[in-house]
Amino acid sequence: MASLTSSLFNIIIKTGSLTVAHTDGTTRTYGDGGDPKVAIALHGKSVETSLALNPKLRIGEAYMDGRLTIEDGSLYDFIDLCALNVQNLERHGAYATVEWLGAWLRYLRSFNPLERAQKNVAHHYDLSGSLYDLFLDEDRQYSCAYFRDNSVDLETAQRDKKLHIAAKLRLERPGLRVLDIGCGWGGMALTLARESEAEVVGITLSREQLKVAQARAQEAGLSDRVEFRLQDYREVSEQFDRVVSVGMFEHVGLAHYGVFFNKVRDLLTEDGVALLHSIGTMYPPSGTNPWLRKYIFPGGYTPSLSEVMPAVERAGLWSTDIEILRLHYAETLRHWRQRFEANRDKAKDLFDERFCRMWEFYLAACEISFRRMGQMVFQLQMTRRQDAVPLTRDYITDWERERLPDRSKKAEAAE
């Protein structure tokens, strides 16, 4: 069976060097001999066949099960080497057909009616809260941070993300009602309440997140202005002056984009403002990675803007501002990966070795996808009315500088 994976690695690895200890006792090296250089070993009778038939799914599984071990270099180096060469696989013969089929099936695989959406959310977000404390910032922001420069720590970058989004929401007058769709553990909703005199409703499908968010609102003395609910966005009937959604749109599902943006329109008051923060891709539409879909985010999908904007247009919403965050999520994931590595023993005590390997693979692969594979984050501001926001973007910067005076002065001095 070593001949099968040998053919696979010959197809894939053109740049860099991969040395493989095969199950038949042979050791072979693939690639041009350059960097990165990685050595792996394969273990078990069936591993070679499974890797050759479905490498995008089986490589991650083999690492989780200990049937693929890193002998020289790191897991990050190995995934990086694969990412550098993945297009060689995607363009080749039968594998290209699989890629085409995955793109065609993306509607079905991301179909998320309410019951299925609840199960998908529970799969990931109802894990032990102690896990997330091992690698997230102190506010448990589980989405892309905003790095004004690479020297800032994760806590600062996540705080800046929340302020950047708040600035785009234009919380310029007291008494505004804000809806946070997919509120997580409540950090964004609580920040918006602290930074303004707004009344905020946060909704989530995760029972574990709801408990934490409600307790945090109580502890912060904000229960009178911040309400958290176990509710799907499709079930909300009120109107709001502002609507925000951070890191939730990836779980909506391609078939539901029309429903989502029509709902955003209906939720907004006539002069309301909405801000959507989501992972996207610079490439044309394609399928979700099968390993990520099976083990990490069932029902998840990363859209191209060409899939998002038609739904926004059909809903009759103005796209008043679009910002693309390119390497911000790569830096966020770097911090998460390093923090998880530092706390790996604690994670093993919570779960087991296989889970730790899965989580390592997840964090490293996602970081590399933002560095090598066209992943990005977009922030899309939308309104019902053409004049709901000022003519220029100055109001965003002005609002942030009022709240970050010391850092603004430093930036001006550096210029």
Side-chain angles (χ1 to χ4, degrees):
M1 293 299 112
S3 60
L4 286 174
T5 47
S6 183
S7 297
L8 172 69
F9 292 131
N10 274 322
I11 290 169
I12 300 175
I13 307 300
K14 304 297 183 183
T15 301
S17 174
L18 178 65
T19 299
V20 181
H22 289 277
T23 56
D24 64 358
T26 63
T27 298
R28 306 173 193 177
T29 299
Y30 307 90
D32 61 9
D35 291 326
K37 293 184 174 70
V38 181
I40 65 172
L42 301 177
H43 314 275
K45 294 180 179 179
S46 64
V47 65
E48 307 245 10
T49 303
S50 65
L51 288 182
L53 293 176
N54 194 351
K56 285 193 173 183
L57 173 62
R58 302 304 181 189
I59 283 176
E61 289 185 333
Y63 180 77
M64 289 165 57
D65 296 334
R67 293 177 294 130
L68 185 159
T69 57
I70 310 298
E71 304 299 312
D72 188 26
S74 66
L75 173 64
Y76 185 94
D77 296 331
F78 172 61
I79 298 175
D80 192 32
L81 177 62
C82 292
L84 280 170
N85 291 277
V86 69
Q87 288 188 346
N88 300 325
L89 174 71
E90 294 171 347
R91 295 169 179 168
H92 187 274
Y95 296 113
T97 302
V98 171
E99 290 297 312
W100 174 85
L101 184 62
W104 190 81
L105 289 173
R106 68 190 190 279
Y107 286 92
L108 180 62
R109 287 171 171 169
S110 64
F111 181 64
N112 289 316
L114 180 55
E115 184 178 352
R116 186 175 180 182
Q118 290 173 324
K119 290 180 180 178
N120 290 340
V121 166
H123 175 90
H124 191 95
Y125 297 100
D126 282 351
L127 294 171
S128 169
S130 299
L131 167 66
Y132 296 101
D133 290 335
L134 298 181
F135 68 97
L136 298 182
D137 66 302
E138 59 192 13
D139 194 41
R140 279 202 193 175
Q141 288 294 300
Y142 197 20
S143 59
C144 176
Y146 187 69
F147 288 85
R148 296 179 184 277
D149 60 69
N150 289 337
S151 67
V152 302
D153 61 20
L154 182 62
E155 273 68 26
T156 300
Q158 289 291 14
R159 185 174 65 248
D160 287 356
K161 181 268 300 291
K162 289 177 286 185
L163 292 177
H164 194 55
I165 290 172
K168 293 182 178 184
L169 286 171
R170 292 207 73 220
L171 305 172
E172 82 286 2
R173 65 180 188 269
L176 292 171
R177 294 195 73 228
V178 182
L179 176 66
D180 182 0
I181 301 176
C183 62
W185 292 280
M188 176 60 70
L190 294 171
T191 296
L192 296 178
R194 290 190 187 102
E195 293 294 332
S196 68
E197 297 180 37
E199 297 178 4
V200 187
V201 174
I203 59 173
T204 177
L205 293 179
S206 168
R207 296 182 184 277
E208 292 302 314
Q209 288 184 334
L210 178 67
K211 292 176 187 176
V212 173
Q214 290 176 333
R216 292 184 67 191
Q218 187 70 35
E219 292 168 6
L222 291 170
S223 295
D224 59 328
R225 289 196 292 116
V226 182
E227 176 191 358
F228 292 108
R229 306 173 186 169
L230 189 70
Q231 190 174 30
D232 186 82
Y233 71 92
R234 288 164 282 200
E235 299 175 316
V236 181
S237 58
E238 307 106 296
Q239 278 199 317
F240 295 85
D241 303 290
R242 304 291 184 263
V243 175
V244 62
S245 184
V246 179
M248 174 270 181
F249 188 68
E250 302 90 330
H251 306 283
V252 166
L254 185 58
H256 304 279
Y257 286 179
V259 173
F260 180 84
F261 288 110
N262 285 337
K263 191 64 178 181
V264 169
R265 179 201 62 213
D266 294 343
L267 289 167
L268 282 175
T269 57
E270 190 62 29
D271 61 347
V273 179
L275 193 286
L276 176 66
H277 170 115
S278 172
I279 298 173
T281 176
M282 65 161 286
Y283 291 121
S286 62
T288 302
N289 176 276
W291 184 88
L292 198 69
R293 186 178 65 246
K294 180 176 180 179
Y295 290 97
I296 307 298
F297 294 118
Y301 179 71
T302 300
S304 301
L305 283 177
S306 59
E307 296 172 292
V308 175
M309 298 312 296
V312 176
E313 294 164 1
R314 286 192 293 269
L317 289 165
W318 279 91
S319 300
T320 45
D321 191 87
I322 302 176
E323 182 176 7
I324 305 299
L325 307 181
R326 290 159 289 111
L327 289 169
H328 293 262
Y329 218 157
E331 288 301 302
T332 305
L333 283 153
R334 176 177 64 84
H335 281 276
W336 291 350
R337 177 173 57 86
Q338 291 172 348
R339 289 183 177 205
F340 184 80
E341 288 173 358
N343 290 295
R344 193 183 192 281
D345 289 342
K346 295 178 181 178
K348 189 175 178 180
D349 290 339
L350 287 171
F351 297 97
D352 56 25
E353 176 64 24
R354 188 174 187 269
F355 180 91
C356 289
R357 286 171 169 264
M358 178 185 75
W359 214 256
E360 288 169 337
F361 197 91
Y362 154 52
L363 294 176
C366 286
E367 178 184 343
I368 290 165
S369 73
F370 283 92
R371 297 194 187 279
R372 301 282 195 193
M373 302 175 71
Q375 297 285 90
M376 52 77 168
V377 168
F378 64 90
Q379 290 186 346
L380 171 60
Q381 185 194 63
M382 296 164 287
T383 64
R384 293 181 63 163
R385 231 171 56 187
Q386 188 178 12
D387 60 350
V389 294
L391 291 176
T392 71
R393 302 181 82 249
D394 293 351
Y395 68 95
I396 300 172
T397 305
D398 292 344
W399 195 92
E400 289 177 285
R401 284 180 174 170
E402 287 177 6
R403 285 151 181 80
L404 301 169
D406 294 336
R407 295 178 65 194
S408 296
K409 290 176 182 177
K410 290 179 182 177
E412 290 172 0
E415 291 174 0

Short mmCIF file of all heavy atoms in Angstrom, two decimals, residues 301-342:
data_model
loop_
_atom_site.label_atom_id
_atom_site.label_comp_id
_atom_site.label_asym_id
_atom_site.label_seq_id
_atom_site.Cartn_x
_atom_site.Cartn_y
_atom_site.Cartn_z
N TYR A 301 -19.69 26.92 6.95
CA TYR A 301 -19.33 27.23 5.56
C TYR A 301 -18.70 28.62 5.50
O TYR A 301 -19.19 29.56 6.12
CB TYR A 301 -20.56 27.19 4.65
CG TYR A 301 -20.25 27.52 3.22
CD1 TYR A 301 -19.52 26.64 2.43
CD2 TYR A 301 -20.65 28.73 2.66
CE1 TYR A 301 -19.20 26.95 1.12
CE2 TYR A 301 -20.33 29.05 1.34
CZ TYR A 301 -19.61 28.16 0.57
OH TYR A 301 -19.29 28.47 -0.72
N THR A 302 -17.60 28.73 4.78
CA THR A 302 -16.91 30.00 4.58
C THR A 302 -17.27 30.56 3.21
O THR A 302 -16.90 29.96 2.19
CB THR A 302 -15.38 29.82 4.68
OG1 THR A 302 -15.06 29.31 5.98
CG2 THR A 302 -14.67 31.14 4.47
N PRO A 303 -17.97 31.68 3.15
CA PRO A 303 -18.46 32.16 1.86
C PRO A 303 -17.45 33.03 1.11
O PRO A 303 -16.56 33.65 1.70
CB PRO A 303 -19.67 33.01 2.26
CG PRO A 303 -19.28 33.58 3.59
CD PRO A 303 -18.49 32.48 4.28
N SER A 304 -17.63 33.09 -0.19
CA SER A 304 -17.02 34.14 -1.01
C SER A 304 -17.95 35.35 -0.97
O SER A 304 -19.16 35.20 -0.80
CB SER A 304 -16.87 33.66 -2.46
OG SER A 304 -16.07 32.50 -2.53
N LEU A 305 -17.39 36.52 -1.14
CA LEU A 305 -18.25 37.71 -1.16
C LEU A 305 -19.24 37.67 -2.32
O LEU A 305 -20.33 38.25 -2.25
CB LEU A 305 -17.40 38.98 -1.24
CG LEU A 305 -16.72 39.42 0.06
CD1 LEU A 305 -15.85 40.65 -0.17
CD2 LEU A 305 -17.75 39.69 1.14
N SER A 306 -18.87 36.94 -3.38
CA SER A 306 -19.78 36.81 -4.52
C SER A 306 -21.04 36.03 -4.17
O SER A 306 -22.04 36.11 -4.88
CB SER A 306 -19.06 36.12 -5.68
OG SER A 306 -18.61 34.82 -5.31
N GLU A 307 -21.01 35.28 -3.07
CA GLU A 307 -22.20 34.58 -2.59
C GLU A 307 -23.00 35.43 -1.60
O GLU A 307 -24.21 35.25 -1.46
CB GLU A 307 -21.80 33.27 -1.91
CG GLU A 307 -21.13 32.27 -2.84
CD GLU A 307 -20.58 31.08 -2.09
OE1 GLU A 307 -19.62 31.26 -1.33
OE2 GLU A 307 -21.12 29.97 -2.27
N VAL A 308 -22.31 36.32 -0.90
CA VAL A 308 -22.95 37.13 0.13
C VAL A 308 -23.68 38.33 -0.47
O VAL A 308 -24.86 38.59 -0.15
CB VAL A 308 -21.91 37.61 1.16
CG1 VAL A 308 -22.54 38.57 2.18
CG2 VAL A 308 -21.26 36.42 1.86
N MET A 309 -23.01 39.06 -1.35
CA MET A 309 -23.55 40.34 -1.82
C MET A 309 -24.87 40.22 -2.58
O MET A 309 -25.75 41.09 -2.42
CB MET A 309 -22.50 41.07 -2.65
CG MET A 309 -21.22 41.41 -1.88
SD MET A 309 -21.54 42.18 -0.27
CE MET A 309 -22.33 43.71 -0.79
N PRO A 310 -25.08 39.20 -3.41
CA PRO A 310 -26.39 39.10 -4.06
C PRO A 310 -27.55 38.99 -3.07
O PRO A 310 -28.62 39.56 -3.29
CB PRO A 310 -26.26 37.82 -4.91
CG PRO A 310 -24.81 37.72 -5.20
CD PRO A 310 -24.14 38.19 -3.95
N ALA A 311 -27.33 38.27 -1.95
CA ALA A 311 -28.38 38.15 -0.94
C ALA A 311 -28.64 39.47 -0.25
O ALA A 311 -29.78 39.80 0.08
CB ALA A 311 -28.00 37.08 0.07
N VAL A 312 -27.57 40.25 -0.02
CA VAL A 312 -27.72 41.59 0.57
C VAL A 312 -28.52 42.48 -0.37
O VAL A 312 -29.45 43.20 0.05
CB VAL A 312 -26.34 42.21 0.85
CG1 VAL A 312 -26.48 43.64 1.38
CG2 VAL A 312 -25.56 41.36 1.85
N GLU A 313 -28.19 42.42 -1.65
CA GLU A 313 -28.89 43.25 -2.64
C GLU A 313 -30.37 42.88 -2.76
O GLU A 313 -31.23 43.75 -2.81
CB GLU A 313 -28.18 43.10 -4.00
CG GLU A 313 -26.77 43.66 -4.01
CD GLU A 313 -25.96 43.17 -5.20
OE1 GLU A 313 -26.52 42.40 -6.02
OE2 GLU A 313 -24.78 43.54 -5.31
N ARG A 314 -30.64 41.59 -2.77
CA ARG A 314 -32.03 41.15 -2.89
C ARG A 314 -32.86 41.55 -1.67
O ARG A 314 -34.08 41.75 -1.77
CB ARG A 314 -32.09 39.63 -3.10
CG ARG A 314 -31.67 39.18 -4.50
CD ARG A 314 -32.03 37.73 -4.73
NE ARG A 314 -31.25 36.83 -3.88
CZ ARG A 314 -30.10 36.29 -4.22
NH1 ARG A 314 -29.54 36.57 -5.41
NH2 ARG A 314 -29.46 35.47 -3.40
N ALA A 315 -32.19 41.67 -0.51
CA ALA A 315 -32.90 42.08 0.70
C ALA A 315 -33.19 43.58 0.72
O ALA A 315 -33.91 44.06 1.60
CB ALA A 315 -32.08 41.69 1.94
N GLY A 316 -32.63 44.31 -0.24
CA GLY A 316 -32.86 45.75 -0.30
C GLY A 316 -32.06 46.53 0.71
O GLY A 316 -32.45 47.64 1.11
N LEU A 317 -30.90 46.00 1.12
CA LEU A 317 -30.04 46.68 2.09
C LEU A 317 -28.92 47.43 1.37
O LEU A 317 -28.38 46.94 0.37
CB LEU A 317 -29.43 45.66 3.05
CG LEU A 317 -30.39 45.04 4.07
CD1 LEU A 317 -29.76 43.80 4.70
CD2 LEU A 317 -30.78 46.06 5.14
N TRP A 318 -28.58 48.59 1.91
CA TRP A 318 -27.40 49.31 1.44
C TRP A 318 -26.15 48.71 2.07
O TRP A 318 -26.10 48.50 3.29
CB TRP A 318 -27.48 50.79 1.83
CG TRP A 318 -28.32 51.60 0.92
CD1 TRP A 318 -29.66 51.86 1.03
CD2 TRP A 318 -27.87 52.28 -0.26
NE1 TRP A 318 -30.08 52.65 -0.01
CE2 TRP A 318 -29.01 52.93 -0.82
CE3 TRP A 318 -26.65 52.41 -0.91
CZ2 TRP A 318 -28.92 53.69 -1.99
CZ3 TRP A 318 -26.56 53.16 -2.07
CH2 TRP A 318 -27.69 53.78 -2.60
N SER A 319 -25.12 48.42 1.27
CA SER A 319 -23.80 48.06 1.79
C SER A 319 -23.01 49.35 1.93
O SER A 319 -22.49 49.89 0.94
CB SER A 319 -23.09 47.09 0.84
OG SER A 319 -23.84 45.91 0.68
N THR A 320 -22.96 49.87 3.14
CA THR A 320 -22.39 51.21 3.35
C THR A 320 -20.92 51.20 3.71
O THR A 320 -20.27 52.24 3.70
CB THR A 320 -23.18 51.94 4.45
OG1 THR A 320 -23.39 51.05 5.56
CG2 THR A 320 -24.54 52.39 3.93
N ASP A 321 -20.38 50.03 4.05
CA ASP A 321 -18.95 49.95 4.33
C ASP A 321 -18.54 48.48 4.32
O ASP A 321 -19.23 47.63 4.89
CB ASP A 321 -18.62 50.55 5.70
CG ASP A 321 -17.12 50.72 5.90
OD1 ASP A 321 -16.59 51.77 5.50
OD2 ASP A 321 -16.47 49.82 6.46
N ILE A 322 -17.45 48.18 3.64
CA ILE A 322 -16.88 46.82 3.64
C ILE A 322 -15.39 46.94 3.94
O ILE A 322 -14.67 47.67 3.27
CB ILE A 322 -17.07 46.09 2.30
CG1 ILE A 322 -18.55 46.00 1.93
CG2 ILE A 322 -16.46 44.69 2.37
CD1 ILE A 322 -18.81 45.39 0.56
N GLU A 323 -14.94 46.22 4.96
CA GLU A 323 -13.51 46.18 5.31
C GLU A 323 -13.05 44.74 5.32
O GLU A 323 -13.71 43.87 5.88
CB GLU A 323 -13.27 46.82 6.68
CG GLU A 323 -11.79 46.85 7.06
CD GLU A 323 -11.52 47.56 8.38
OE1 GLU A 323 -12.49 47.92 9.08
OE2 GLU A 323 -10.33 47.76 8.71
N ILE A 324 -11.89 44.49 4.70
CA ILE A 324 -11.31 43.15 4.66
C ILE A 324 -10.14 43.09 5.63
O ILE A 324 -9.17 43.85 5.50
CB ILE A 324 -10.83 42.79 3.24
CG1 ILE A 324 -11.97 42.95 2.23
CG2 ILE A 324 -10.27 41.37 3.23
CD1 ILE A 324 -13.16 42.07 2.48
N LEU A 325 -10.23 42.20 6.61
CA LEU A 325 -9.14 41.95 7.55
C LEU A 325 -8.39 40.72 7.06
O LEU A 325 -8.93 39.62 7.06
CB LEU A 325 -9.69 41.73 8.96
CG LEU A 325 -10.63 42.81 9.51
CD1 LEU A 325 -11.07 42.46 10.93
CD2 LEU A 325 -9.97 44.18 9.48
N ARG A 326 -7.16 40.91 6.62
CA ARG A 326 -6.43 39.85 5.94
C ARG A 326 -5.69 38.92 6.91
O ARG A 326 -6.05 37.76 7.05
CB ARG A 326 -5.48 40.45 4.92
CG ARG A 326 -6.19 41.07 3.72
CD ARG A 326 -5.35 42.08 2.98
NE ARG A 326 -5.16 43.31 3.74
CZ ARG A 326 -4.00 43.70 4.26
NH1 ARG A 326 -2.91 42.97 4.09
NH2 ARG A 326 -3.91 44.83 4.93
N LEU A 327 -4.67 39.42 7.59
CA LEU A 327 -3.86 38.56 8.45
C LEU A 327 -4.23 38.65 9.93
O LEU A 327 -3.60 38.03 10.78
CB LEU A 327 -2.38 38.91 8.28
CG LEU A 327 -1.78 38.49 6.94
CD1 LEU A 327 -0.41 39.12 6.73
CD2 LEU A 327 -1.68 36.97 6.86
N HIS A 328 -5.28 39.40 10.24
CA HIS A 328 -5.67 39.55 11.64
C HIS A 328 -6.05 38.22 12.29
O HIS A 328 -5.71 37.96 13.45
CB HIS A 328 -6.83 40.54 11.76
CG HIS A 328 -6.47 41.95 11.40
ND1 HIS A 328 -6.15 42.91 12.33
CD2 HIS A 328 -6.36 42.56 10.19
CE1 HIS A 328 -5.88 44.05 11.72
NE2 HIS A 328 -6.00 43.85 10.42
N TYR A 329 -6.77 37.37 11.54
CA TYR A 329 -7.17 36.10 12.14
C TYR A 329 -5.97 35.14 12.24
O TYR A 329 -5.91 34.31 13.15
CB TYR A 329 -8.31 35.45 11.35
CG TYR A 329 -9.32 34.76 12.25
CD1 TYR A 329 -10.62 34.54 11.82
CD2 TYR A 329 -8.98 34.30 13.53
CE1 TYR A 329 -11.56 33.93 12.64
CE2 TYR A 329 -9.91 33.68 14.35
CZ TYR A 329 -11.19 33.50 13.90
OH TYR A 329 -12.13 32.89 14.72
N ALA A 330 -5.04 35.23 11.32
CA ALA A 330 -3.83 34.41 11.44
C ALA A 330 -3.10 34.74 12.73
O ALA A 330 -2.64 33.83 13.45
CB ALA A 330 -2.92 34.65 10.23
N GLU A 331 -3.00 36.03 13.05
CA GLU A 331 -2.33 36.44 14.29
C GLU A 331 -3.14 36.01 15.51
O GLU A 331 -2.58 35.57 16.53
CB GLU A 331 -2.11 37.95 14.31
CG GLU A 331 -1.03 38.42 13.35
CD GLU A 331 0.31 37.76 13.66
OE1 GLU A 331 0.80 37.91 14.80
OE2 GLU A 331 0.86 37.08 12.77
N THR A 332 -4.46 36.11 15.42
CA THR A 332 -5.32 35.65 16.52
C THR A 332 -5.10 34.17 16.78
O THR A 332 -4.90 33.74 17.93
CB THR A 332 -6.80 35.89 16.17
OG1 THR A 332 -7.00 37.27 15.84
CG2 THR A 332 -7.70 35.52 17.34
N LEU A 333 -5.12 33.38 15.72
CA LEU A 333 -4.95 31.94 15.86
C LEU A 333 -3.56 31.57 16.34
O LEU A 333 -3.39 30.56 17.04
CB LEU A 333 -5.27 31.26 14.53
CG LEU A 333 -6.76 31.14 14.23
CD1 LEU A 333 -7.02 31.10 12.74
CD2 LEU A 333 -7.35 29.90 14.92
N ARG A 334 -2.57 32.36 15.98
CA ARG A 334 -1.21 32.12 16.50
C ARG A 334 -1.21 32.22 18.02
O ARG A 334 -0.63 31.37 18.71
CB ARG A 334 -0.22 33.12 15.89
CG ARG A 334 1.20 32.99 16.44
CD ARG A 334 2.15 33.95 15.75
NE ARG A 334 1.81 35.34 16.00
CZ ARG A 334 2.19 36.03 17.10
NH1 ARG A 334 2.91 35.42 18.05
NH2 ARG A 334 1.87 37.29 17.24
N HIS A 335 -1.85 33.26 18.54
CA HIS A 335 -1.94 33.40 19.99
C HIS A 335 -2.70 32.24 20.61
O HIS A 335 -2.28 31.68 21.64
CB HIS A 335 -2.63 34.73 20.34
CG HIS A 335 -1.76 35.92 20.23
ND1 HIS A 335 -0.90 36.33 21.23
CD2 HIS A 335 -1.58 36.81 19.22
CE1 HIS A 335 -0.25 37.42 20.86
NE2 HIS A 335 -0.65 37.74 19.64
N TRP A 336 -3.82 31.86 20.00
CA TRP A 336 -4.60 30.73 20.54
C TRP A 336 -3.79 29.44 20.53
O TRP A 336 -3.80 28.68 21.51
CB TRP A 336 -5.87 30.53 19.72
CG TRP A 336 -6.89 31.62 19.87
CD1 TRP A 336 -6.89 32.65 20.78
CD2 TRP A 336 -8.07 31.79 19.07
NE1 TRP A 336 -8.00 33.45 20.59
CE2 TRP A 336 -8.75 32.93 19.57
CE3 TRP A 336 -8.64 31.09 18.01
CZ2 TRP A 336 -9.95 33.39 19.01
CZ3 TRP A 336 -9.83 31.55 17.46
CH2 TRP A 336 -10.47 32.68 17.96
N ARG A 337 -3.09 29.20 19.43
CA ARG A 337 -2.30 27.97 19.30
C ARG A 337 -1.20 27.92 20.35
O ARG A 337 -0.98 26.87 21.00
CB ARG A 337 -1.71 27.89 17.89
CG ARG A 337 -0.80 26.70 17.64
CD ARG A 337 -0.39 26.62 16.17
NE ARG A 337 0.26 27.82 15.71
CZ ARG A 337 1.56 28.08 15.82
NH1 ARG A 337 2.36 27.20 16.43
NH2 ARG A 337 2.08 29.18 15.34
N GLN A 338 -0.50 29.02 20.54
CA GLN A 338 0.58 29.04 21.52
C GLN A 338 0.05 28.90 22.94
O GLN A 338 0.68 28.23 23.78
CB GLN A 338 1.38 30.34 21.35
CG GLN A 338 2.16 30.39 20.05
CD GLN A 338 2.80 31.76 19.79
OE1 GLN A 338 2.48 32.74 20.45
NE2 GLN A 338 3.70 31.80 18.83
N ARG A 339 -1.08 29.50 23.22
CA ARG A 339 -1.67 29.37 24.55
C ARG A 339 -2.15 27.94 24.81
O ARG A 339 -1.99 27.42 25.92
CB ARG A 339 -2.84 30.35 24.72
CG ARG A 339 -2.40 31.80 24.81
CD ARG A 339 -3.58 32.73 25.05
NE ARG A 339 -3.13 34.12 25.20
CZ ARG A 339 -3.80 35.06 25.86
NH1 ARG A 339 -4.96 34.77 26.43
NH2 ARG A 339 -3.32 36.28 25.96
N PHE A 340 -2.73 27.31 23.80
CA PHE A 340 -3.17 25.93 23.97
C PHE A 340 -1.97 25.02 24.19
O PHE A 340 -2.01 24.13 25.06
CB PHE A 340 -3.97 25.46 22.75
CG PHE A 340 -4.53 24.08 22.91
CD1 PHE A 340 -5.68 23.86 23.65
CD2 PHE A 340 -3.88 22.98 22.35
CE1 PHE A 340 -6.20 22.58 23.82
CE2 PHE A 340 -4.38 21.70 22.51
CZ PHE A 340 -5.54 21.50 23.25
N GLU A 341 -0.91 25.23 23.44
CA GLU A 341 0.30 24.42 23.62
C GLU A 341 0.84 24.56 25.04
O GLU A 341 1.28 23.57 25.65
CB GLU A 341 1.36 24.83 22.60
CG GLU A 341 1.05 24.41 21.17
CD GLU A 341 2.04 24.96 20.17
OE1 GLU A 341 2.95 25.72 20.58
OE2 GLU A 341 1.91 24.64 18.97
N ALA A 342 0.80 25.78 25.57
CA ALA A 342 1.31 26.02 26.92
C ALA A 342 0.44 25.35 27.98
O ALA A 342 0.91 25.06 29.09
CB ALA A 342 1.41 27.52 27.19
#
